[in-house]
Amino acid sequence: MNSKDGMRYMELVDVYEKLDSTTKRLEKTTILADFFRKIGGEDPELLPVVTLLSLGRVFPTWSEEELGIASKLLMNAMALVAGVRPEDVEDMMRDAGDIGTAAELLLGKKKQATFFTVPLTIQKVHSNLMKIADISGNRSQYKKMEILRELFSSASPEEAKYITRTVLEELRVGVGEGTIKDAIAEAFSVEKGVVERAHMLTNDLGLVSEVAKEEGVEGLKKLSLKPGKPVKPMLAQLSPGIRESVEEMGWALCETKYDGIRVQIHRSGDEVNIFTRRLENISNAVPEIIEYIEEALPHEDFIVEGEIIVTKDGKPISFQYILQRVRRKYEIEKMREQVPLKLYLFDVLYYHGPQIDTPFEDRRKILESMVDVMEDKLQLSNQVKATPEDIWRAEDLFTESLKGGHEGIMIKDPHAPYMPGIRGKKMLKRKAEPETLDLVVVGGTYGKGKRAHFIGSYLLAVQDENNELKTIAHAATGLDDQMLLELSEMVEPLITKKTGRRVEIVPSIILEIAYSEIVKSPEYESGYSLRFPVVKRVREDISIEDIDTVERVESMFKDVQTL
DNA sequence: TCTGATGCGTC
DNA sequence: GTCGGAC
DNA sequence: GTCCGACGACGCATCAGA
């Protein structure tokens, strides 16, 4: 290590390799903690950067910066550097099962011809990646690739492996935020709870590690909630059953679960901002929501949360519509007419100071005191109180919710504080039982990582009135290791064609697929597709003539719409 | 100027 | 979003 | 219980290239 030029990227790569070589969380934590401590001692300015890079990120969570490079562009850049065709890279990637490993192999060959290189530093890698995010406009893809090319040309094969994975933000060394938090706590001898809280409130583990080292517990405790700065929303777990969940809480506040977009709304002085679950600012896309807030809530600093849905004649309509609104930049006024929004508020995080430690029961009361309801535009979530004795209140809410075209119910612990970014048992969700269809496998796509040498996703079809097969969805989740293997073995002899990572398969294997909802599809031959498809089992007991039909799908889709 | 591929966010 | 695997 | 990483559909923005 050279103190003038900063620490070499290779040192970080060694850490990645060590992390990858164990599956034990405690070991990973110690590896990271040791490294953080080392950086803290030798090159403290690098600590926030290294913390982010260890997570496989270039920017902190709250940042709106993005690289605009994913697998395809990256493959092109790799092809350029290695002097091969992009298709060769794709083949290699399929065989290696991972773009990082493919990069390592490709550059390994190339490197033998290279004479010498200037060693990469962590700083250099990070600053070049940050530069990529700033490039836009004409020839931007080319310029981005030039930066990658420069990095690759001075990278060792092993370094290239992790640069590619970092660009894709998929480091895949088994380290996520939980492990990083533990490591920061261990490295700088602060309590884990304090690290956790600081992270909740800032969404910036780089900052947290820096403060932990420089100012310790005192510094971390000073970080706090501020209107204008979004925090990660508290998340819900699946409820195993309404009664069981309510009993476990003692009593519960149950609310309709609306099928829309979760938003966190901040008022800071004169400014109102609306953030999504991943902390993206969508204020410009939903001007009417800002207006409703101006009208219905106090002109004081606050943070509230709710769900935005689309309604027609006061009734909720398909989730697909709201996707037309969230990230829109153009023709906003026009869409505002066509796709009207409604906001249901259900929580408050800040009002006359932080309220996240206030029990939910009381937060709700505060929220109620803040809001002047606007019919059809802004309301509080529909809420009932349920105890084990009158569990029917919750059960009725559930059936009413589904009948009304909503998604189910939330079951909330009245005593719980608001825990940003935590998915715990203080807030549960209960949705309708999924439906199932019997579909035939007509193709597939090879997977990555764990699924590198399997078909990681199956293309499925229904039959039409002429017994022709029409595609309707891909399914990948729901397969355990054993089924993954068995299916691969069944499918292998049926493959008729391979193009890149995709294969075509003689139709014969039938899968039972669960799904939450049928949706209109611009992509699949049947004109429909499935929301949240899950593989349940292989149907060896029926034959291909028995699979479900386009007609059936169509009739079920209409049922859903007319609810 | 238009279209398809790609990226990236929502669920 | 769902799910399975590892701890 | 918790964390992590496999993977699903859709729609808008952006950019390359016809």
Side-chain angles (χ1 to χ4, degrees):
Chain A
M1 137 67 209
N2 176 331
S3 62
K4 201 178 94 217
D5 300 333
M7 192 176 281
R8 297 216 179 149
Y9 187 60
M10 202 57 215
E11 296 209 33
L12 181 55
V13 169
D14 285 340
V15 171
Y16 290 150
E17 291 283 324
K18 273 195 241 163
L19 291 169
D20 202 24
S21 70
T22 173
T23 54
K24 295 192 174 63
R25 281 237 303 144
L26 289 176
E27 264 179 51
K28 288 181 196 280
T29 305
T30 303
I31 292 166
L32 280 167
D34 289 347
F35 190 57
F36 289 168
R37 221 177 289 124
K38 180 174 178 203
I39 299 275
E42 295 178 7
D43 202 348
E45 287 185 10
L46 218 47
L47 185 58
V49 170
V50 164
T51 310
L52 287 176
L53 289 176
S54 309
L55 253 178
R57 299 250 178 80
V58 180
F59 301 102
T61 319
W62 50 264
S63 169
E64 308 241 321
E65 305 260 17
E66 50 198 34
L67 296 181
I69 294 180
S71 55
K72 301 285 176 167
L73 290 180
L74 195 56
M75 283 194 300
N76 288 345
M78 282 161 55
L80 211 66
V81 176
V84 299
R85 298 173 308 153
E87 303 87 77
D88 298 333
V89 179
E90 189 169 14
D91 286 346
M92 194 157 215
M93 195 187 144
R94 188 186 57 221
D95 295 341
D98 165 75
I99 196 167
T101 312
E104 188 177 16
L105 292 170
L106 273 169
L107 272 89
K109 285 184 192 150
K110 160 109 180 144
K111 270 286 124 69
Q112 293 164 359
T114 311
F115 201 54
F116 70 89
T117 53
V118 186
L120 279 174
T121 62
I122 295 174
Q123 190 57 54
K124 165 107 178 161
V125 171
H126 186 249
S127 62
N128 273 18
L129 294 179
M130 288 207 300
K131 262 193 251 164
I132 288 177
D134 284 332
I135 300 171
S136 68
N138 208 284
R139 312 233 328 133
S140 62
Q141 294 190 343
Y142 175 79
K143 291 178 200 156
K144 288 179 180 189
M145 282 204 237
E146 278 299 298
I147 291 187
L148 286 179
R149 189 157 79 142
E150 191 200 330
L151 277 178
F152 283 141
S153 65
S154 34
S156 72
E158 227 175 11
E159 287 174 323
K161 170 175 166 186
Y162 287 101
I163 291 171
T164 56
R165 289 188 182 179
T166 303
V167 168
L168 294 183
E169 304 209 311
E170 3 166 281
L171 207 49
R172 279 217 331 270
V173 291
V175 169
E177 290 183 344
T179 314
I180 299 280
K181 282 185 273 190
D182 289 350
I184 292 172
E186 185 177 322
F188 306 114
S189 313
V190 290
E191 286 162 58
K192 192 188 165 194
V194 178
V195 172
E196 207 137 56
R197 192 175 171 83
H199 172 238
M200 278 180 186
L201 299 173
T202 60
N203 275 305
D204 189 341
L205 281 171
L207 176 69
V208 171
S209 65
E210 189 174 32
V211 173
K213 176 185 178 277
E214 299 298 332
E215 306 172 47
V217 176
E218 291 306 302
L220 290 176
K221 282 191 169 162
K222 269 190 261 165
L223 300 169
S224 80
L225 200 61
K226 259 210 194 88
K229 268 181 57 187
V231 295
K232 279 202 203 157
M234 183 173 173
L235 303 171
Q237 255 179 19
L238 280 178
S239 155
I242 295 175
R243 171 174 285 282
E244 191 181 331
S245 298
V246 172
E247 275 171 0
E248 202 177 320
M249 287 178 189
W251 63 279
L253 291 167
C254 301
E255 298 172 6
T256 305
K257 184 176 193 304
Y258 302 97
D259 188 12
I261 302 284
R262 175 95 175 257
V263 286
Q264 192 172 88
I265 303 171
H266 291 238
R267 182 175 194 111
S268 169
D270 285 338
E271 224 181 305
V272 175
N273 280 296
I274 301 182
F275 299 95
T276 61
R277 202 178 131 177
R278 289 198 197 171
L279 315 185
E280 184 139 319
N281 192 329
I282 56 160
S283 307
N284 294 328
V286 291
E288 68 266 55
I289 300 293
I290 305 264
E291 292 169 17
Y292 303 162
I293 291 289
E294 291 279 2
E295 188 175 332
L297 277 88
H299 285 197
E300 293 177 74
D301 288 7
F302 60 72
I303 305 173
V304 294
E305 267 186 17
E307 188 93 0
I308 299 178
I309 65 165
V310 182
T311 58
K312 189 177 182 182
D313 309 323
K315 287 198 143 202
I317 60 170
S318 171
F319 172 79
Q320 283 177 283
Y321 288 98
I322 202 169
L323 296 176
Q324 300 179 1
R325 294 289 315 266
V326 257
R327 304 188 75 204
R328 178 172 289 280
K329 280 186 156 180
Y330 309 104
E331 299 196 294
I332 289 168
E333 287 303 316
K334 187 177 127 204
M335 290 310 280
R336 178 180 169 160
E337 303 298 323
Q338 290 178 20
V339 182
L341 304 180
K342 178 169 182 177
L343 172 65
Y344 284 97
L345 290 174
F346 51 67
D347 212 336
V348 53
L349 285 68
Y350 189 104
Y351 185 56
H352 299 155
Q355 298 293 350
I356 54 175
D357 293 319
T358 307
F360 176 59
E361 185 184 4
D362 299 324
R363 295 205 304 279
R364 172 79 185 201
K365 286 182 189 141
I366 295 171
L367 183 65
E368 284 170 5
S369 79
M370 294 169 68
V371 177
D372 286 325
V373 166
M374 299 164 75
E375 195 65 41
D376 287 346
K377 292 179 176 170
L378 186 155
Q379 287 188 11
L380 294 181
S381 62
N382 185 19
Q383 189 186 67
V384 302
K385 179 179 164 180
T387 66
E389 290 70 44
D390 56 12
I391 196 71
W392 59 269
R393 289 182 199 277
E395 284 162 351
D396 280 5
L397 185 71
F398 182 71
T399 44
E400 284 304 309
S401 167
L402 296 184
K403 223 188 278 176
H406 301 293
E407 215 183 359
I409 61 171
M410 305 296 298
I411 303 168
K412 300 183 178 178
D413 187 331
H415 306 113
Y418 188 99
M419 293 179 285
I422 303 292
R423 189 189 296 278
K425 56 181 193 306
K426 303 295 183 188
M427 191 167 109
L428 304 171
K429 56 181 168 183
R430 182 83 186 161
K431 299 166 66 159
E433 281 296 314
E435 311 277 331
T436 64
L437 288 173
D438 296 318
L439 304 171
V440 66
V441 173
V442 296
T445 310
Y446 278 97
K448 300 187 211 178
K450 289 191 283 208
R451 299 207 175 166
H453 304 295
F454 302 104
I455 291 181
S457 171
Y458 288 93
L459 178 60
L460 303 156
V462 282
Q463 58 180 333
D464 69 8
E465 64 271 27
N466 304 319
N467 293 75
E468 280 176 25
L469 298 176
K470 302 283 180 190
T471 59
I472 185 166
H474 286 88
T477 191
L479 298 163
D480 59 22
D481 286 357
Q482 195 196 339
M483 228 203 296
L484 204 59
L485 186 67
E486 283 174 9
L487 266 178
S488 281
E489 282 169 0
M490 284 170 74
V491 158
E492 208 65 47
L494 301 172
I495 293 176
T496 52
K497 197 169 150 196
K498 289 195 186 191
T499 33
R501 295 170 57 219
R502 304 183 149 277
V503 297
E504 288 175 23
I505 296 169
V506 180
S508 78
I509 298 169
I510 299 163
L511 298 178
E512 183 180 85
I513 303 294
Y515 63 93
S516 74
E517 193 184 350
I518 292 167
V519 295
K520 271 264 180 227
S521 172
E523 191 60 33
Y524 288 96
E525 293 160 3
S526 64
Y528 296 95
S529 191
L530 307 178
R531 194 175 181 195
F532 312 144
V534 175
V535 180
K536 298 315 277 189
R537 60 182 174 128
V538 181
R539 296 281 320 243
E540 306 203 59
D541 52 326
I542 62 173
S543 62
I544 194 161
E545 302 85 55
D546 305 323
I547 65 169
D548 277 298
T549 61
V550 176
E551 293 90 323
R552 174 138 191 270
V553 167
E554 184 148 359
S555 70
M556 292 170 69
F557 172 74
K558 281 178 186 149
D559 281 349
V560 171
Q561 289 312 92
T562 53
L563 267 177

